[in-house]
Amino acid sequence: MTLKGGHRIPIKAADQKITLPVIPAKTVILFPGEVITLQVGRPENIALIQENSAHDHLVAVVYSPRGESDVREVDLCHVGTAAHIIAIKDGPAGSKIISLEGAARIVLEKIRQKAPYITGTIGYVNEIAASPEKAADLTRQLIAILEEITRIDPSYSDELSYVLKFNLGDPGQFADKVAAALHLPLLTKQRILEAYRIEVRLAELLHALQNELERARVLYEVKKNVDERAVNEQRKSYLRQQLYEIKRQLGEEFIEDKIAQQLRNEIKKNRSLPPEVRDRALIEIDRLNHLSTASAEYGATKLYLDWLMNIPWNKFSPEDYNLRQVEAEIDEEYYGSPQIKKQILERLAVRQLSGGVSEGSVLCIAGVPGTGKASLARAIARALGKKFIRISVGGMIEISDIKGSARTFLGAAPGIVIRTLRDAGVCDPVVFIEDIEYFAQDANTALPMSLLEAIDPRLNGHFLDNYIGLPINLHRAIFICAVKSIEGIPEMLAHRFEIIELPGYIEREKIHIARKYIIPRVLTAHGLKKRDINFTDNGLKKIIRSYTLEAGLLNLRRQLERICRHVAKEKASRLNKIWTVNEKTVESFLGTPQFIPEKPEKKPEIGVAIGLAWTGMGGELMMIEGLRMKGSGEVITTGSLGEVMKESIQAAHSYVRARADILGIDHNDFDNFDIHIHFPSGAIPKDGPSAGVTVSLVIASVMAERPIRHDIAMTGEVTLRGKVLPVGGIKEKISAAYRAGIPKILIPLENKKDLKELPDDIIKKTKFIFINNVDEVFAAGLLDFVPSSYTLEKLFAEELEKAKHRKSGTSQKRVAAKSLKRP
C-alpha cells in the first residue's frame, strides 16, 4: 500500500493526531460540500461502514487509481476529503449503497492499520486564499467558458452556469462546485482537489475547462453536420415525394423509374443469368430507383449493373468440332513442326472426350518473336470456331489488374479477365496471353497466383472478381500463354505450364511462309494486287540474308512492308508497271545491306575452323581462330565468352594434350607455347558447350601445325574423355552451313534423329559425318593426318585391351582394327 503525492501540503495545527477510517474510491472524486453515492462490496469496507455509520463520525474518502483486479494492494492518493455518511441502503449481492457528504480537505499522512479496514492519520489542509483581483479575473474566464460549454454540449443543463454563480463569494468553493459538476477526467479532478492555493486551483480548473470546451466544440460540429445532412435528406425526400405526386397527377414518369423498369425487363429477358446474378441485379435496381441521377452513387451503381448485364454468363460456343477438320484448318493457317501440331491435337482430343473441359496444365508457347506463337493460337481458335482474344500482362503490378478492385474504391473496375470475357461475348474464348516474362517482375507472389486462379483449369471453375463480387465459370475457356524463352517463365507459374517450344525458321521455311502468308496480307494491307509486285526466290533470299538477322519473321515482314510502301508511292503517282524484286533490285528498295553473312575461307588454314552456333536469331557460322606463340603453356581466350564456354575450351585443351602422341605433337610444346583461342564478333556475348569439337580441332591444328579443311563445319560438346555429346539447334545450324555452301557437316551421332526435321534437298546435298569421339574429328578435319607407327601401335594395343571385354579369339583384332580404321 502506497501513498501517491509528491509536493508538501500545509496542514492546520491540532492538539493531537486525528485517525479516521479510509474508504478507497475508485470511480469518483469527492469535493468538500458535495454529496456522492457509492456502492461498497468488499468485506473490509462494509465493516468500516457498519462501525462508523453514526452521523457525527467522519470517514476519509481518498481516490484509489488502482484497478479492481488487484484486491491485495490499494494505492491511495495523498489528498482526500473528510466526509459524513448520511445514508445507507442495502445493495445487490450483499453490497451497501451509501451517500457521503464532503466536509473538508484532508491530507492522509500515515496508514495506521489495514485490518479489519484501513485507518490512517490525517491532517486538515490549510488553504491559502488568492488576491481578490486575480480571483475575480479567473472567475470571469471560468464563467464565460462554462456558459459556452453548457450552450453547445447537450449533456449539461442550461441552468448549470446560473446555479454555480451563487458560489462566486467563495472562489475556492466555486472551483470545487464547478469541478464536481463537469465531466472531467478523475486525475484532473484529483489535481484540483490537491491544489491548496486558491489561485492555483482556479488556474488548474481553467485549463481543464478549456480542454472540455475544445472537446465539446468538436462534438458540436459533428452533430451539427449530421443534423444538417439529415435535414437536407429529409427535405430532398419530401420534395421528391411532392414532385412524384405532381408528375403522377400530370401523367408523367420519373426518368429513374423508367431506367429501372428497362433494366428489370432486360433481366427478365436474359435467360442465361444465374439466379444469384439475377438477385443481385434486382437489389441494385431497387437501390438505383431511390437515388438521384445527379448523385455519384447513382453513376457507380448504374455502371455496376451495366457490367452485370454485359458479362456473358453461361454463354458457350458449341463443342462439335471434328479433329480431322481441325487438323486441316491448323495446317492451312499455321506452318510449323508436325510434332507441335500433334501435341495441340492431342490436347484438343482430350478436351473433346471430356465434354469441353480439361483439368490438365496450361499451354505455354515459347519462342523468339516472329516464330508464329500468335498465329498458332489464332489457328486453334479458328479451327474450334471460338472467339480469339489477345491480351498482354506485361507491366501489371497490382492484383486489381487481374481480379479488379472493390466497388468501395473511387474509379473501381473489373480486372482484365472479366474485361476479356465482355469483349469476347462468350465464356469460352481462346485467350492468348503475351509478355508473361515481363509479368510481375517487381511484385510479390500474390500477383502470379492471382493470374493462376484465372487460367488454371483446376481453380477457375468459380473465378471471383473483386468488383463483380460473384463467381463466374472459366472452366471452358482456353488460355494460351506466350514467352520468348523458357527461362522467362515466372517460377510460381512454371509448375502449371505445359511448354511447347517453337524453333526458329530456316531460310527455306521463311520463303515458303512469306509466299503463302505474309506477302498476300502485306499486299492487301497496302492496297496492292498480286500482279503489281513479283518477288523471286533469289530476291527473298537476299532480303533474308542481308536485311534480317533473326530466327522469326518480324523483320522480314517489316522489309516486305517497306518494299510495298515504295511501290504504293510510285503507283499512287500514276506509274503503272510491274515491279520485280530480285537479287539485283533489292538494294534499290531497301538500300545498303545491313548484315554481311559469314563465309568460309577459300583454302585450308592452320588454326581456323568453322563452328556452328544457335542463337536467338537462328543458326550462324562461327569462325573460330587459334594461334600458338612462345610462352609458358597458358590458354588465352577472347571474344566475350561465358564460363561454360571457357570450361569447354579447357576440357578440349586437356584432351588434345593427352592425345599428343597420336597427333604427332611434342609434349614439351604444351609447356613452351601459349595458345590463344579467339571467337570473332567480340561485342556479342557467347556461351555454351557446343563449340567443344571445333575448339579441339583448332588446338590440335595449331599444335600439330596441320591445316583444317575449309569445306567442313562442325558442332558438338566434348567431355574430358573425348566423348562427343549431343547439342541443340541442329536444324538451324545445318541450315546455316547449307546456306553458306558448306558440303560437309560433322554432328554428334546422337543428333542423327534430328535430321528428320530438315527438308529433303538439304539432306541430299549435304554429307553428314556422325562423330562419337574427338579422334574421329581429328581424322575428318585435319589434312594429311596419318598417326606415326609407334602411336598407331600403342593405340591399337589400347583398343585391343578394350575389345577383350566384348569379343573373344581372332575377332578381337578385327574389332580393334575397325575402331582405328587399320588395314
Side-chain angles (χ1 to χ4, degrees):
M1 181 181 296
T2 59
L3 297 176
K4 290 190 174 288
H7 53 281
R8 184 177 179 81
I9 298 176
I11 301 174
K12 293 179 180 179
D15 295 337
Q16 59 182 1
K17 295 294 183 180
I18 303 173
T19 300
L20 292 180
V22 179
I23 299 178
K26 300 180 183 296
T27 59
V28 69
I29 303 292
L30 176 61
F31 286 90
E34 294 298 312
V35 177
I36 62 171
T37 301
L38 292 178
Q39 183 176 2
V40 178
R42 295 178 62 174
E44 60 268 27
N45 290 336
I46 293 177
L48 182 154
I49 292 168
Q50 290 174 347
E51 294 183 14
N52 298 276
S53 59
H55 186 69
D56 58 343
H57 286 196
L58 287 173
V59 295
V61 180
V62 182
Y63 176 55
S64 173
R66 183 180 292 275
E68 289 288 349
S69 58
D70 193 342
V71 297
R72 296 183 179 180
E73 294 290 337
V74 178
D75 284 346
L76 298 174
C77 288
H78 189 47
V79 178
T81 304
H84 294 285
I85 300 176
I86 59 177
I88 303 174
K89 294 182 180 180
D90 293 331
S95 64
K96 298 291 183 180
I97 298 175
I98 62 173
S99 297
L100 298 166
E101 182 181 8
R105 277 178 173 78
I106 60 170
V107 174
L108 184 60
E109 295 180 317
K110 185 179 180 181
I111 301 298
R112 304 292 296 177
Q113 68 179 33
K114 298 180 183 179
Y117 48 81
I118 301 172
T119 62
T121 303
I122 64 100
Y124 289 99
V125 176
N126 186 17
E127 299 182 8
I128 300 176
S131 63
E133 295 81 7
K134 189 66 176 177
D137 180 57
L138 291 172
T139 303
R140 281 195 302 271
Q141 295 183 52
L142 287 171
I143 291 175
I145 295 176
L146 187 61
E147 289 177 346
E148 181 68 13
I149 291 175
T150 55
R151 184 183 67 83
I152 64 177
D153 192 343
S155 62
Y156 295 112
S157 172
D158 295 335
E159 299 178 354
L160 178 62
S161 61
Y162 178 75
V163 172
L164 293 175
K165 288 179 183 178
F166 287 112
N167 299 280
L168 290 177
D170 185 349
Q173 186 178 6
F174 173 75
D176 291 343
K177 293 288 185 181
V178 173
L182 296 182
H183 308 319
L184 302 178
L186 293 179
L187 291 178
T188 301
K189 289 186 176 183
Q190 180 64 28
R191 286 197 299 271
I192 295 173
L193 182 67
E194 292 175 358
Y196 62 92
R197 294 179 181 273
I198 303 302
E199 182 179 334
V200 174
R201 189 184 305 171
L202 291 171
E204 186 73 32
L205 179 61
L206 179 62
H207 179 69
L209 260 63
Q210 288 172 343
N211 293 336
E212 179 68 9
L213 177 60
E214 187 65 28
R215 182 196 66 83
R217 281 175 176 168
V218 172
L219 294 177
Y220 176 75
E221 289 296 327
V222 172
K223 183 177 182 301
K224 180 182 177 182
N225 292 336
V226 172
D227 291 343
E228 288 179 356
R229 186 174 299 176
V231 169
N232 287 335
E233 290 297 326
Q234 290 176 356
R235 179 173 176 273
K236 288 180 181 179
S237 177
Y238 176 72
L239 293 175
R240 192 176 290 112
Q241 291 296 328
Q242 283 188 326
L243 182 60
Y244 177 82
E245 184 61 26
I246 292 171
K247 286 194 172 186
R248 191 182 67 82
Q249 294 291 339
L250 295 175
E252 298 179 0
E253 293 182 358
F254 275 108
I255 186 172
E256 295 93 333
D257 294 340
K258 189 175 181 180
I259 293 175
Q261 189 58 43
Q262 288 177 351
L263 291 172
R264 288 191 183 92
N265 293 336
E266 290 180 13
I267 291 174
K268 291 179 181 179
K269 294 177 183 178
N270 194 339
R271 302 293 183 182
S272 63
L273 288 179
E276 62 272 16
V277 177
R278 188 185 304 274
D279 294 342
R280 173 65 68 82
L282 291 175
I283 291 173
E284 295 296 329
I285 290 173
D286 290 339
R287 291 183 64 248
L288 194 71
N289 203 19
H290 293 84
L291 296 173
S292 171
T293 54
S295 66
E297 190 177 358
Y298 181 91
T301 305
K302 180 66 167 59
L303 180 62
Y304 178 73
L305 281 168
D306 291 341
W307 274 107
L308 283 184
M309 300 298 294
N310 289 324
I311 294 175
W313 303 95
N314 296 330
K315 291 184 180 179
F316 303 102
S317 304
E319 297 277 346
D320 56 353
Y321 50 86
N322 182 279
L323 277 182
R324 293 185 181 275
Q325 184 179 354
V326 169
E327 182 178 6
E329 291 189 13
I330 292 179
D331 287 338
E332 181 67 24
E333 289 290 322
Y334 173 75
Y335 181 85
S337 170
Q339 184 63 29
I340 294 173
K341 297 176 183 178
K342 179 183 176 184
Q343 287 181 260
I344 298 295
L345 291 172
E346 288 171 351
R347 291 178 64 92
L348 296 180
V350 173
R351 178 183 177 89
Q352 188 180 53
L353 294 176
S354 58
V357 295
S358 175
E359 294 290 340
S361 53
V362 182
L363 180 62
C364 179
I365 305 175
V368 297
T371 49
K373 300 185 291 294
S375 298
L376 179 58
R378 188 180 290 105
I380 293 172
R382 182 173 178 179
L384 298 180
K386 295 185 180 295
K387 291 289 185 68
F388 177 74
I389 301 293
R390 189 173 184 174
I391 62 175
S392 172
V393 294
M396 291 186 176
I397 58 175
E398 299 288 343
I399 295 178
S400 59
D401 295 333
I402 303 294
K403 301 185 65 177
S405 53
R407 291 174 59 194
T408 53
F409 292 103
L410 183 65
I416 193 170
V417 177
I418 296 298
R419 296 200 303 271
T420 299
L421 295 183
R422 180 200 61 181
D423 296 340
V426 290
C427 282
D428 60 343
V430 175
V431 183
F432 183 64
I433 306 175
E434 295 182 287
D435 301 324
I436 291 289
E437 62 268 31
Y438 303 120
F439 178 61
Q441 288 184 337
D442 300 325
N444 54 23
T445 57
L447 189 57
M449 296 310 295
S450 298
L451 179 64
L452 204 61
E453 286 183 36
I455 66 176
D456 193 340
R458 301 177 307 167
L459 308 173
N460 62 9
H462 293 83
F463 176 74
L464 184 65
D465 184 272
N466 294 327
Y467 178 81
I468 300 300
L470 296 168
I472 186 169
N473 185 5
L474 302 178
H475 228 47
R476 293 179 176 269
I478 300 176
F479 293 96
I480 302 175
C481 299
V483 292
K484 292 180 181 178
S485 65
I486 297 176
E487 292 77 14
I489 301 175
E491 183 180 355
M492 293 73 72
L493 303 178
H495 70 288
R496 285 302 301 158
F497 280 177
E498 178 185 347
I499 301 169
I500 295 179
E501 193 168 5
L502 299 186
Y505 294 111
I506 63 176
E507 185 179 271
R508 181 176 297 275
E509 292 173 334
K510 289 181 179 181
I511 293 174
H512 175 82
I513 295 172
R515 288 199 176 280
K516 186 175 181 180
Y517 302 102
I518 301 177
I519 292 176
R521 293 173 184 171
V522 171
L523 289 175
T524 302
H526 289 77
L528 300 175
K529 297 180 180 178
K530 186 177 180 181
R531 65 173 180 268
D532 291 332
I533 307 178
N534 179 30
F535 289 94
T536 66
D537 285 351
N538 288 335
L540 291 174
K541 287 179 182 179
K542 176 78 172 179
I543 296 172
I544 293 169
R545 294 178 183 180
S546 301
Y547 295 90
T548 67
L549 188 64
E550 59 178 348
L553 299 162
L554 284 182
N555 285 329
L556 176 59
R557 184 187 184 97
R558 292 190 184 108
Q559 300 303 331
L560 294 175
E561 288 174 347
R562 285 183 61 189
I563 294 173
C564 288
R565 286 196 294 269
H566 180 92
V567 173
K569 177 179 174 294
E570 293 191 354
K571 187 176 180 180
S573 301
R574 306 295 182 182
L575 183 61
N576 294 321
K577 70 172 187 177
I578 297 176
W579 288 265
T580 301
V581 180
N582 54 35
E583 192 173 6
K584 296 180 180 180
T585 61
V586 165
E587 292 189 20
S588 64
F589 291 102
L590 301 178
T592 305
Q594 301 174 9
F595 305 103
I596 301 175
E598 288 277 4
K599 295 182 180 179
E601 301 294 335
K602 295 182 178 180
K603 62 180 181 177
E605 293 186 22
I606 295 175
V608 179
I610 305 173
L612 297 174
W614 180 35
T615 68
M617 291 166 285
E620 294 181 14
L621 296 187
M622 185 166 55
M623 309 300 294
I624 302 177
E625 303 172 349
L627 186 69
R628 81 170 187 170
M629 51 199 167
K630 284 288 185 179
S632 57
E634 294 185 10
V635 178
I636 304 168
T637 59
T638 54
S640 298
L641 309 184
E643 289 299 322
V644 176
M645 186 168 279
K646 289 179 181 179
E647 292 174 1
S648 178
I649 293 172
Q650 192 60 51
H653 176 264
S654 299
Y655 183 78
V656 173
R657 187 170 184 173
R659 295 309 237 183
D661 291 339
I662 297 178
L663 296 167
I665 304 171
D666 187 351
H667 282 281
N668 293 326
D669 288 351
F670 287 96
D671 297 325
N672 299 328
F673 291 93
D674 290 342
I675 300 174
H676 187 167
I677 304 297
H678 177 65
F679 289 71
S681 302
I684 302 174
K686 309 169 188 68
D687 205 358
S690 63
V693 296
T694 316
V695 173
S696 301
L697 190 59
V698 170
I699 295 174
S701 172
V702 298
M703 296 304 295
E705 296 184 336
R706 291 192 179 94
I708 299 174
R709 298 180 185 275
H710 69 289
D711 60 347
I712 190 168
M714 62 205 73
T715 184
E717 179 182 353
V718 172
T719 70
L720 200 59
R721 296 178 298 159
K723 298 292 184 183
V724 179
L725 302 181
V727 294
I730 288 294
K731 184 179 78 167
E732 290 80 2
K733 292 176 178 179
I734 293 175
S735 176
Y738 176 78
R739 189 168 60 242
I742 299 175
K744 297 179 183 178
I745 302 176
L746 272 66
I747 64 172
L749 180 62
E750 293 186 30
N751 282 120
K752 186 176 181 179
K753 61 182 183 299
D754 297 326
L755 300 183
K756 297 177 182 179
E757 299 180 9
L758 291 170
D760 293 338
D761 59 336
I762 294 181
I763 296 176
K764 290 177 181 178
K765 295 179 182 180
T766 305
K767 182 179 180 181
F768 296 100
I769 302 174
F770 302 103
I771 52 178
N772 201 28
N773 58 70
V774 182
D775 294 337
E776 296 173 359
V777 178
F778 297 153
L782 292 176
L783 285 176
D784 306 323
F785 172 50
V786 180
S788 64
S789 60
Y790 166 76
T791 304
L792 197 60
E793 290 297 331
K794 183 179 179 182
L795 190 61
F796 181 74
E798 292 177 358
E799 293 296 330
L800 185 63
E801 184 67 24
K802 294 178 182 177
K804 289 180 180 180
H805 300 285
R806 302 191 298 268
K807 301 282 184 177
S808 60
T810 57
S811 62
Q812 294 177 0
K813 294 184 178 180
R814 288 200 302 272
V815 171
K818 184 178 180 182
S819 64
L820 292 175
K821 300 182 180 178
R822 182 179 179 183

